[in-house]
Each structure stands twice: as structure tokens, then as C-alpha cells.
Amino acid sequence: MDFLALATKYLHPDLTGKYIHLNTITPVMNSFADQFEVKVIGQSVLQKEIYQVKIGSGKTKILIWSQMHGNEPTTTKGLFDFFNFLASDTELAHQIKSNYTLLCIPMLNPDGAFAYTRENANGIDLNRDAVAETQPEMQLLKRTYEQFKPDYCYNLHDQRTIFGTEGFNSPATISFLAPAFDAACQYNSTRMKAVEIIVAMVEVLESYLPHQIGRFDDAYNVNCTGDYFTTQQTPTILFEAGHYPNDYNRDESRKFVFIALVASFLRQNENVVVDNDLTKYLRIPQNNKCFFDIIYRNIKIIDNNVEKIINFAAQYREEVIAGKVKFRAVISKISDLDHYFGHVEYDCESLLFSSNGKPYPILGEEATFDLNNSIQFNNGLKII
């Protein structure tokens, strides 16, 4: 099966870019109401509707939620692409719907999604509220969990462009984690069920993303939703959608979320754990903070009348302007950068730096400058 062609075919055209909020998804969600059960199940801090989409009638129950961090929309787009596929008349779609019952909360944090913030309207990270349960959104998720009694949980997120795969100079385009259930990060039967599904997804994805699949840090924190549900003996899988080359709007990355979702339902014997699954899981390269958006190498500066050759890096800050996410390249590190990679890199060949009369870069300022008073860089990128 050509999974990438399938992902491209069912990519929902009404959800693009990085600013995905309640007003964006509601008409799309309602378009599925004649095939799936779509209903409001609660409200956010600011009284915004939180929806549930129920699909299928199978024995195995999966609880899926996305965008509990409001500025992490890629998995939401991938989830709607998956809805689009399940609404089709294909044999595989019918098979999934007959074997599984899916209960999906496509946007747990609508306030954060509109404000384009990680936290909810009270400034709380919902993914650290699993035990305290102080926020209405987390109360709703846990109530849904207790009523539905899922066999598995899928916790869908985005990760920053800083992550690569350990041992490779490749971005971590998608990463997974079977969350720990104790501080020793041991593997019990519950965690191993999550490991099995992750291995199945990676086996499908690796032909499309060589060296671009990561394993997320499993440091235990029971306040995190995935760790909490694992301690409740429900296998939980963390999905982290990351950077794909030249895809800052993540309309390519979403395809790999879709592929992962489809692949996760292809293995039917959920309770059978293959002996070498843990070995395969631990071979997935760990996420490594080894990337910047842009790196400039071999820049000449003048510091106290002394010429020096330096390297520096810029990272994009994301801001919503006129209903779209804009990317502003900000100088974020000045050092040798020997162990870092840039999604874009420039060898500046010892040319002299200048920015608004300043002879050296300054942390926190926009990466707009020129070299030798002739080669210009605007918002991080070279003007050609």
C-alpha cells in the first residue's frame, strides 16, 4: 500500500497552515455529522465548545485527543485527514470502523488554539494538570476517559523545530513515546502494549522518513496526561509531529500523522506482544535538541577593534498576524555551534557583519543584517 499517496488523497483542503482554531474546525466537523456522531461534550474556560467525534462500532476502544496545547495544530490536521479517510467507502476504512470504536476530542483547548498559546485561558499547561485536575478541559478529558473506559489512549501533540534524531543530522519529523508508569521507567504489560503499536507504526513510516523518526524522552511525571493514564493501566501513545524540510506550515508533516494513525489500526491482535518489540522500540533514535532554524557560519565581526570569526543561529518566533501565523527570525545563540545543525545553513565565508550600524549580532534581535555592505539578509534569509 502506498500510504503517502493515501495521505495526500485524503488531506482535507479546508485545514491548512498553522492557525487552526475552533472556528476553523467546526464547519469541517459538522460536515461529518451525517456519518459520525458529532456532539458538544463540554466547554472551555472561556465557554468555547469542546466537541467529541465518535466513529465505529468495534470491540477495541480508542480515546484520541488533540490540541491540548493550543499552538500545536499539526496532529489536529492529521486527525481530520483520518476522519476524511474513515468517511470513505474503502475496504480498509470499513475494516477499521468494524474493529474499533474511536472517541476523538479534536481540540481539547479551544481557548489556547484561538490565542495561539500552549496554555489554556487560565495560563495552565493542561498536560501538567492530570492529577490536580484544576481546569475544566482536563476535568472533561478525565470524565470522558472514566466513562468510555478505553483500551488505548492516543495523545496528539506537536514538537518544536529544535528536535532532531540522535546520531543523525535529520529533523525529527514524527516522534513517539510509550509513557512510563513509574520513576524507574520500567516496562510492564500495559506499557508494552503501547510499545507494540509504536513499533507497528514505525515499520510503516521508516520507508518514508529514513532517520526522521524519534523516540520522545520518557522521564516520568505523573502530572502529564500520558503518564497518568499509563499508571491507570491504559496503554497510552504520545504522538509528536515535528519538522519536515521546508514545511514550516506543517502541511507535509500532517501526512505522516495520518500514516501513523492508519498504521496503528492495521495490527489486529492488540494483546499479543512480540518478543523483540522492546528491542525495536529502543532502537528508535531518541529526540535530540540539535537543530536551529537557521545557522550562519564563518561570520566576521569587529569586537573592541578586534576581528573575530563567529557562528550564530536564529530561531523563528511564531506570531498570529491578520489571522495567519507569521515567522520572525530572532538571533538565539552565538557560539561555535559545532554540534548543531540548521534547517537552513549559510557559509558566510568570513564576510563582515553589520546590522543597523552594529558590528556584531545581538541576542533577541531580528536576524536582519548585511555582509560586506552588499549581501543582505532579511528576517533570517538571504535576499537573492
Side-chain angles (χ1 to χ4, degrees):
M1 181 186 299
D2 188 341
F3 287 91
L4 189 55
L6 196 69
T8 302
K9 178 178 180 179
Y10 288 101
L11 187 146
H12 203 292
D14 293 337
L15 297 176
T16 58
K18 289 208 73 178
Y19 191 40
I20 304 296
H21 50 81
L22 188 61
N23 293 343
T24 317
I25 69 166
T26 299
V28 180
M29 201 155 35
N30 288 336
S31 72
F32 293 119
D34 59 340
Q35 292 177 281
F36 310 141
E37 180 187 297
V38 178
K39 67 178 184 179
V40 175
I41 57 170
Q43 293 181 318
S44 67
V45 171
L46 298 180
Q47 305 298 300
K48 299 294 184 183
E49 295 86 358
I50 298 174
Y51 282 85
Q52 166 187 294
V53 180
K54 190 174 184 179
I55 304 170
S57 56
K59 179 181 177 182
T60 303
K61 297 186 292 185
I62 317 288
L63 176 62
I64 305 174
W65 64 93
S66 181
Q67 226 162 335
M68 71 187 310
H69 293 147
N71 59 352
E72 298 181 1
T74 308
T75 49
T76 301
K77 293 188 292 185
L79 184 59
F80 272 94
D81 298 341
F82 186 55
F83 291 167
N84 207 20
F85 166 68
L86 291 178
S88 73
D89 197 31
T90 64
E91 181 180 346
L92 180 55
H94 286 296
Q95 178 184 319
I96 292 171
K97 288 182 286 188
S98 64
N99 288 324
Y100 295 90
T101 299
L102 312 180
L103 197 62
C104 308
I105 302 175
M107 186 174 285
L108 184 63
N109 182 7
D111 299 340
F114 188 78
Y116 202 69
T117 58
R118 177 181 175 90
E119 298 81 9
N120 74 345
N122 285 333
I124 300 298
D125 184 339
L126 296 179
N127 205 28
R128 301 295 185 272
D129 193 42
V131 174
E133 200 178 329
T134 64
Q135 301 303 301
E137 299 91 347
M138 181 53 68
Q139 293 162 10
L140 175 62
L141 178 62
K142 289 183 70 174
R143 185 164 65 248
T144 302
Y145 168 84
E146 289 159 3
Q147 293 171 352
F148 186 53
K149 296 179 172 57
D151 297 293
Y152 293 86
C153 290
Y154 289 5
N155 184 7
L156 308 184
H157 288 264
D158 278 40
Q159 65 183 4
R160 291 172 290 165
T161 60
I162 62 174
F163 288 105
T165 49
E166 190 172 42
F168 303 97
N169 60 342
S170 300
T173 300
I174 191 165
S175 298
F176 301 103
L177 174 66
F181 66 91
D182 65 359
C185 299
Q186 299 180 86
Y187 290 86
N188 60 1
S189 59
T190 298
R191 196 178 183 195
M192 283 303 301
K193 289 178 183 178
V195 164
E196 180 203 9
I197 299 301
I198 291 171
V199 168
M201 292 189 292
V202 170
E203 286 176 348
V204 171
L205 283 164
E206 58 190 359
S207 63
Y208 302 101
L209 293 172
H211 310 309
Q212 290 173 241
I213 305 168
R215 179 164 47 90
F216 206 77
D217 176 30
D218 69 348
Y220 178 68
N221 182 349
V222 73
N223 299 302
C224 294
T225 317
D227 302 57
Y228 174 81
F229 286 148
T230 304
T231 65
Q232 303 304 301
Q233 300 182 26
T234 303
T236 301
I237 298 169
L238 174 69
F239 292 64
E240 292 277 355
H243 184 69
Y244 186 81
N246 303 312
D247 179 40
Y248 277 91
N249 282 318
R250 297 201 172 175
D251 285 319
E252 289 298 316
S253 294
R254 69 191 286 180
K255 296 178 182 178
F256 303 108
V257 175
F258 171 91
I259 293 171
L261 288 168
V262 173
S264 76
F265 295 104
L266 295 182
R267 187 177 293 188
Q268 298 301 316
N269 299 318
E270 294 90 351
N271 294 320
V272 177
V273 178
V274 179
D275 288 343
N276 64 349
D277 273 346
L278 183 56
T279 300
K280 290 180 179 179
Y281 175 72
L282 294 175
R283 284 178 183 161
I284 301 170
Q286 282 204 278
N287 269 14
N288 186 22
K289 294 179 181 179
C290 61
F291 267 93
F292 287 97
D293 289 319
I294 313 167
I295 287 181
Y296 313 89
R297 301 192 188 274
N298 302 314
I299 294 265
K300 183 190 290 185
I301 66 166
I302 305 225
D303 184 13
N304 292 324
N305 296 317
V306 176
E307 290 187 356
K308 297 180 180 178
I309 301 297
I310 65 163
N311 303 319
F312 70 92
Q315 197 69 16
Y316 286 120
R317 288 183 185 169
E318 300 178 11
E319 303 168 349
V320 175
I321 299 174
K324 290 186 178 181
V325 174
K326 303 295 184 182
F327 299 89
R328 188 164 68 92
V330 173
I331 297 169
S332 54
K333 193 174 184 67
I334 304 170
S335 76
D336 56 37
L337 299 174
D338 284 349
H339 302 294
Y340 290 93
F341 306 99
H343 295 300
V344 174
E345 292 204 11
Y346 295 102
D347 181 353
C348 298
E349 300 178 333
S350 301
L351 298 179
L352 184 63
F353 176 96
S354 177
S355 176
N356 293 320
K358 289 174 275 210
Y360 46 81
I362 296 176
L363 290 172
E365 291 199 351
E366 187 172 292
T368 294
F369 58 94
D370 60 56
L371 300 176
N372 277 19
N373 294 317
S374 59
I375 301 172
Q376 296 182 322
F377 290 75
N378 183 53
N379 195 28
L381 300 178
K382 184 178 178 180
I383 298 174
I384 299 175

